[in-house]
Amino acid sequence: MYSLYRSVSQKWTCPLISVQPIRGLVDEKFQIAVTNLPPNQKVTLHSLHQSDDTDFWEAFGHYVSDEHGSVTGFKDESLGGTYDGTEPVGLLWSMRPIPGSRHGLRLRKRDIFRPMEVCISVYSGHLSQGFSQQTPLATSVTERWYVAPGVKRVNIREKEIRGTLFLPPGSGPYPGVLDLWGVGGDFVEYRSALLASHGFASMALEYLTPEDLSLEDTDASYFEKAYQILNNHPMVKKDHLAVLGLSLGSAITLNMVSYSKVIKPQCCVCISGSHLMPVEKSLSELFELMKKMLWRYTCLAIIIIKLA
C-alpha cells in the first residue's frame, strides 16, 4: 500500500523553481534551482523582461536534470540556447529582443528607482522559440536593482555643467568616476548608480543635450569643469578619480586624458570607441567631421565591393 501511494505521489509532484536572492543588484550572481523533475529530463530555463521602453527581452539555456530530478543553474552546464556552459547570470547578460521585435533596440534602465523585474521559468524539453505558446512547469519573479539601499542621487547644476552625482552610503570620501556615455539615446544614469552601489562616487555627465548650452559651446572646457567639480566635491577623495567612456564618451576620454592639463585621472576605461578625435573642437564641429568621414568610408566600401 505504501509503495502504491509513493509512486502516485511522485507522479503528480509539481516541479519547483527557486531564485536566490530574490532581490539583488543587477550584476550580483543569483542561484536558480529546479527540483521535483523526473531524472534525466530535458528542460529549458527561460528569462523574460519587459524593459522601460515596453519591449520584451529574453534569454534561455538548455539543461538536463540529474538523477535526483534537479537542475542547478549556477553549477550545471547549459547545453545550448543564448549561452553555453556554466553561467550563473547567463539568463541576464545574454538577453536579446524576442522574435518580431522592432529593430535597433537597446536594453536600458530609464527609471533607476524601479527594479528590473525578470520572470524566470522552466519549460519541458529543449525549446528555442514559441515560449509564449507554451505553459511553464514553474515560474518565479526576481528583482534586479541598479541602486543599492542608501545610495544618494544629487543633481549637479554648477558652472553650466549638467549631470547627476551618485554617492555611496556612509560618510566618505570615496574614489570618484566621471561617467561619459555615447550618442545612442537620452541621458543615462544607471551605470553611475551601479558604480555608487559598489563604493564609487560616480557622476553621469550630460554633455550632448545640456540645458542652456549648445553643441557649439560644448568643448574641452566643459569636460574640464565637470572633472574639477567632481574632484572638489567634499564626498570625493581628491585626486583619486577615474574617467569612464563609452562610444563617443570613449573618444572624449582618450582626448582629454592625452591633451588636457586639468584632467589627470588615476585610471581611464574606454569601451567601444575611437581614438581618432580632433583636439580643441566643439561637439558640433566633431559631428560634422564624423559625417564627412562616414560618407568617405561608405563611398570607399562601395568602390571595393564593385571591384571585388
Side-chain angles (χ1 to χ4, degrees):
M1 188 68 178
Y2 172 77
S3 61
L4 176 62
Y5 171 78
R6 183 180 180 186
S7 63
V8 171
S9 64
Q10 285 182 339
K11 181 179 179 180
W12 294 102
T13 298
C14 294
L16 299 175
I17 186 170
S18 170
V19 181
Q20 295 296 332
I22 199 69
R23 296 179 181 87
L25 292 176
V26 70
D27 61 345
E28 181 180 351
K29 293 181 180 180
F30 55 88
Q31 300 180 0
I32 301 174
V34 183
T35 56
N36 292 348
L37 293 168
N40 302 315
Q41 180 180 355
K42 294 181 179 180
V43 295
T44 300
L45 290 181
H46 177 262
S47 62
L48 183 66
H49 167 65
Q50 186 176 24
S51 70
D52 289 352
D53 296 318
T54 71
D55 299 294
F56 285 95
W57 294 69
E58 69 176 0
F60 56 91
H62 297 155
Y63 295 85
V64 177
S65 62
D66 61 18
E67 66 273 16
H68 304 293
S70 300
V71 170
T72 308
F74 65 92
K75 70 176 183 179
D76 292 341
E77 290 190 2
S78 169
L79 305 178
T82 56
Y83 62 96
D84 296 317
T86 304
E87 293 286 352
V89 289
L91 288 175
L92 286 186
W93 68 254
S94 69
M95 276 189 168
R96 63 189 187 186
I98 63 173
S101 298
R102 55 196 178 97
H103 297 291
L105 295 180
R106 293 190 179 190
L107 183 53
R108 290 187 168 185
K109 196 77 184 75
R110 298 187 181 276
D111 185 356
I112 60 170
F113 292 105
R114 293 180 56 214
M116 177 183 179
E117 293 185 346
V118 183
C119 181
I120 298 179
S121 304
V122 56
Y123 291 86
S124 178
H126 285 170
L127 306 179
S128 297
Q129 58 184 353
F131 291 96
S132 61
Q133 283 76 47
Q134 303 293 325
T135 301
L137 300 175
T139 297
S140 180
V141 177
T142 179
E143 293 181 356
R144 318 315 294 177
W145 291 81
Y146 282 92
V147 183
V151 169
K152 297 178 181 178
R153 180 183 182 276
V154 181
N155 285 323
I156 301 297
R157 299 291 185 270
E158 183 179 341
K159 298 179 181 178
E160 298 181 340
I161 304 303
R162 302 291 181 265
T164 306
L165 176 62
F166 289 89
L167 298 171
S171 58
Y174 308 99
V177 178
L178 185 62
D179 185 9
L180 306 179
W181 274 85
V183 297
D186 299 329
F187 181 49
V188 179
E189 297 181 340
Y190 63 84
R191 187 167 65 185
S192 280
L194 187 60
L195 285 169
S197 300
H198 289 291
F200 295 91
S202 185
M203 177 177 166
L205 181 63
E206 186 174 2
Y207 65 93
L208 290 173
T209 56
E211 300 173 1
D212 306 323
L213 191 66
S214 65
L215 292 178
E216 287 79 6
D217 298 324
T218 308
D219 53 17
S221 64
Y222 185 82
F223 301 98
E224 290 175 341
K225 291 176 184 177
Y227 185 89
Q228 290 174 321
I229 290 173
L230 181 62
N231 195 35
N232 294 328
H233 195 281
M235 294 290 285
V236 176
K237 189 178 295 185
K238 193 173 183 63
D239 296 326
H240 285 71
L241 267 63
V243 182
L244 171 59
L246 172 71
S247 188
L248 177 60
S250 178
I252 294 173
T253 297
L254 289 172
N255 183 53
M256 293 296 102
V257 171
S258 299
Y259 298 104
S260 173
K261 296 181 180 180
V262 175
I263 299 178
K264 299 297 179 183
Q266 277 64 52
C267 171
C268 67
V269 178
C270 300
I271 305 169
S272 187
S274 171
H275 65 283
L276 300 176
M277 179 177 175
V279 184
E280 297 181 351
K281 286 188 178 293
S282 68
L283 288 183
S284 178
E285 293 172 311
L286 174 62
F287 287 150
E288 288 300 319
L289 179 61
M290 290 172 63
K291 289 179 182 178
K292 293 179 181 178
M293 293 177 63
L294 179 60
W295 173 250
R296 183 183 306 169
Y297 290 136
T298 301
C299 293
L300 180 60
I302 293 174
I303 293 173
I304 293 175
I305 292 173
K306 288 184 176 180
L307 294 177

